[in-house]
Amino acid sequence: MKNPLMILIAGPYRSGTGGDPDAIARNLERLEESAAPLHRLGHVPMIGEWVALPVLRGLSDEETERGDVMYEVAARLLQHCDAVLRLPGESSGADNDVRIARERGIPVYFSIDEVPAA
């Protein structure tokens, strides 16, 4: 068995929601739908919002005004990820994740079917 990869699942979270909490929750559910299939392949699924949302709850308004914490957390997280699974849908954050992954030279998959088993 090869070593498992930590794979960042990237796709729309806030994009296209108009800030509607129900639409945002549905987007997170879509991201999370890829977690179990990645696990079945022997990998460690990761979603940036799993890390960023608790960080946001702990920051002051002043701290969150300095930049987009979601993008910053994802960029930091990508320093530890081995690949990205880019799900369909418009998302500047997910596009940025792909850009960072390519700069790092790590694989970017556009379908769960492309991800090799560990």
Side-chain angles (χ1 to χ4, degrees):
M1 179 175 181
K2 295 184 265 177
N3 288 332
L5 303 175
M6 184 176 343
I7 300 178
L8 182 73
I9 303 167
Y13 175 67
R14 294 180 292 193
S15 299
T17 65
D20 175 34
D22 292 333
I24 292 170
R26 283 191 300 275
N27 279 348
L28 182 57
E29 286 175 14
R30 281 189 207 101
L31 293 169
E32 291 176 338
E33 286 171 1
S34 295
L38 287 173
H39 175 80
R40 284 186 200 105
L41 288 170
H43 301 299
V44 179
M46 178 54 65
I47 296 175
E49 287 75 13
W50 289 344
V51 178
L53 292 172
V55 170
L56 276 170
R57 284 191 290 274
L59 295 176
S60 68
D61 290 341
E62 189 176 289
E63 289 172 304
T64 59
E65 289 172 4
R66 292 187 202 138
D68 193 320
V69 174
M70 302 293 263
Y71 286 7
E72 185 180 329
V73 166
R76 290 181 189 185
L77 192 54
L78 275 163
Q79 299 307 309
H80 302 280
C81 290
D82 304 301
V84 170
L85 174 61
R86 173 59 163 100
L87 301 181
E90 272 190 50
S91 170
S92 56
D95 291 344
N96 192 53
D97 296 342
V98 168
R99 181 189 60 76
I100 292 169
R102 288 188 170 145
E103 285 174 359
R104 287 198 55 227
I106 63 174
V108 177
Y109 304 109
F110 291 91
S111 165
I112 194 74
D113 297 329
E114 297 175 0
V115 180

